[in-house]
Amino acid sequence: MFGAVVVGLGIAGSVRIRDMLAPLPGSAAEKLLVKGFISRRALGPQQGVQQVSVEDALSRDDINVAFICTENESHEENVRQFIEAGKHVCVEYPMTLSYKAAVDLWVLAEEKGIILHEEHIELFTADFKWLKEKVQGQNLQEGTLHFTGGSLKPRFGFLAFSGIARLTWFVDLFGELTVSSAAFEENPGNSYSKMTAKLLTADNRPLTWIEERGPGLPRAKNINFRFDSFTLTEVPPPASRGAVGLFMQDLVNFGAKLSGQVPPEEMQREKRRILHCLSLAQRIQDLCQQ
């Protein structure tokens, strides 16, 4: 068994506690046992789980794993201190708000023999699975993904990092990419921001990623992917919600890594994808801030 602490008690942190208290029967998630949670606020027990201090969590022998569910800006610091204490780490995306910091953390984790796992539940969604099936084996001509959502909360970083789930979609669907240009506009007084990034696939097919956040904007992904013989402009709504929740699927995956059930080559492929996406996000941010 792996004793776990949850750092941050927002929506994601609360779901992590819930899922560890009632893991998917017969799955690797049963290997995780929640021992406590950490919060900046002084709270009573949550779902029957006690609050612990950072110091306790770092030093206790019965805590082997940390789930980092804080604001994006504090991910790097939290991940680093738990790796240095010899704890395995599952962190909500993005792992860091800079590519170099992510590389450094992965080097540190490998030196210490620690599992470092970045959550990407967007790859478990029904719409992504449908899309992946549709594009498999097709020749892309060009594509656009336009994400809209409410104003970005403070401490969540630049749009290229906070929205890295969209980059992950692109890379998982179309392979490694290069950034050709990027632009950014904002109206701070209205909490509005918009980023437009132009990317190229390995065979020079253009992709456009637009990330737009502001008051009243609906949370939506609008796509336009043109292939040789057809064009995709929408993803149908799922017929039903999956029997296993997205965070639970991620928990099973993380538990499998901790238990040695995931082949090393699969973990290396995932690491390469994650670092590639973070390098693209860094390049986009750099271009936008020039």
Side-chain angles (χ1 to χ4, degrees), residues 248-287:
M248 182 65 81
Q249 291 179 60
D250 184 67
L251 190 67
V252 170
N253 185 18
F254 182 46
K257 289 179 180 179
L258 294 171
S259 305
Q261 298 171 16
V262 179
E265 56 271 21
E266 184 178 327
M267 292 174 65
Q268 283 300 312
R269 279 196 302 272
E270 184 178 322
K271 171 190 170 184
R272 181 185 174 99
R273 187 204 73 225
I274 289 169
L275 289 178
H276 177 63
C277 289
L278 287 165
S279 73
L280 294 174
Q282 185 71 63
R283 177 64 177 150
I284 291 167
Q285 177 177 300
D286 291 348
L287 287 171

Side-chain angles (χ1 to χ4, degrees), residues 206-272:
L207 289 167
T208 301
W209 170 29
I210 303 168
E211 190 86 0
E212 187 175 14
R213 308 293 298 247
L217 288 177
R219 187 173 180 86
K221 297 185 195 80
N222 297 291
I223 63 165
N224 191 306
F225 295 142
R226 187 166 64 84
F227 300 93
D228 285 344
S229 56
F230 67 99
T231 299
L232 286 175
T233 57
E234 62 181 356
V235 178
S240 62
R241 293 188 65 175
V244 181
L246 300 178
F247 279 99
M248 182 65 81
Q249 291 179 60
D250 184 67
L251 190 67
V252 170
N253 185 18
F254 182 46
K257 289 179 180 179
L258 294 171
S259 305
Q261 298 171 16
V262 179
E265 56 271 21
E266 184 178 327
M267 292 174 65
Q268 283 300 312
R269 279 196 302 272
E270 184 178 322
K271 171 190 170 184
R272 181 185 174 99

Side-chain angles (χ1 to χ4, degrees), residues 52-71:
V52 299
S53 69
V54 173
E55 294 73 22
D56 279 350
L58 291 170
S59 62
R60 277 171 54 174
D61 292 337
D62 65 334
I63 292 179
N64 324 103
V65 172
F67 286 84
I68 309 302
C69 308
T70 59
E71 300 95 335

Side-chain angles (χ1 to χ4, degrees), residues 99-135:
Y99 169 66
K100 182 183 182 301
V103 172
D104 291 346
L105 288 178
W106 227 301
V107 168
L108 180 63
E110 290 177 345
E111 285 175 351
K112 292 204 167 262
I114 293 300
I115 299 294
L116 176 55
H117 172 86
E118 185 182 66
E119 162 270 317
H120 278 286
I121 59 171
E122 73 277 9
L123 299 180
F124 298 132
T125 60
D127 49 358
F128 179 76
K129 290 176 180 176
W130 180 90
L131 198 54
K132 182 146 187 173
E133 188 177 316
K134 282 289 183 184
V135 309

